[in-house]
Amino acid sequence: MKTIPRLMLTACLAMPLLAACKKDEAPVATVAAPVTAPTTADDAAWRTYVSDVVTRNMEGIGNQPYVYYLPAPTGDEAADAGNYERLADKASSDVSRGIVRGNMLAYASSDSTKMADIVVDAFASVAPDTMKGVRVVFIGSGADQARVSDAVAPAGVEFVFVEAK
């Protein structure tokens, strides 16, 4: 009869030692591969790509990002013009109200030139150094990088360019 209580006591005393062994194992973090830029104007693919780029640039950002995405042209000139005008108005009004430190503005479209026009127009009336600590991410063509960078620089933002090849 003395054997069973001794085995039980030994098992109870050994449990914390076995549990401590598990603590030494470091958790394995898996990082997903970056999504590649779409080569077509497929909106679903572009939205997935933009979401991935925005997520990868969130380090140090404490708030939900402002994401401005201009859909690909549909062929309906009135609808396309309406999409452009609504997005341009929203981008301009958001920036004119002021964006505080710790926020991110992300601009993307399969039509990089039109998106660059929206960014340039939105930042045209921003007072110098009023957006320090704000990150602006422009996802587009390398041909538009300098124009967008020059437009947002006076505001004092951190500019990040991601080329959508």
Side-chain angles (χ1 to χ4, degrees):
M1 282 300 211
K2 290 185 178 180
T3 308
I4 292 177
R6 286 183 183 162
L7 288 175
M8 294 287 282
L9 180 61
T10 305
C12 289
L13 293 174
M15 290 288 269
L17 295 175
L18 293 174
C21 292
K22 287 282 191 185
K23 291 180 184 176
D24 293 342
E25 295 176 13
V28 177
T30 58
V31 178
V35 175
T36 58
T39 56
T40 65
D42 176 28
D43 277 332
W46 268 94
R47 289 179 192 277
T48 301
Y49 174 66
V50 170
S51 177
D52 182 65
V53 170
V54 167
T55 302
R56 290 179 187 282
N57 284 283
M58 287 295 292
E59 185 176 334
I61 301 299
N63 300 310
Q64 186 74 19
Y66 294 83
V67 180
Y68 304 92
Y69 174 72
L70 181 64
T74 61
D76 179 357
E77 289 184 30
D80 294 342
N83 287 340
Y84 177 84
E85 289 173 19
R86 280 188 297 278
L87 187 63
D89 287 345
K90 178 159 177 35
S92 291
S93 68
D94 288 350
V95 169
S96 68
R97 279 183 293 166
I99 307 294
V100 296
R101 177 181 304 277
N103 281 288
M104 177 170 54
L105 306 169
Y107 300 91
S109 177
S110 59
D111 188 342
S112 179
T113 302
K114 282 191 175 186
M115 184 50 76
D117 292 342
I118 289 173
V119 176
V120 170
D121 290 344
F123 278 83
S125 61
V126 175
D129 295 326
T130 56
M131 295 176 72
K132 288 192 179 280
V134 174
R135 182 175 300 147
V136 173
V137 178
F138 179 73
I139 305 165
S141 169
D144 297 312
Q145 176 185 3
R147 184 165 67 111
V148 173
S149 178
D150 292 345
V152 301
V157 301
E158 172 193 347
F159 179 69
V160 177
F161 172 71
V162 178
E163 186 164 15
K165 297 179 182 181

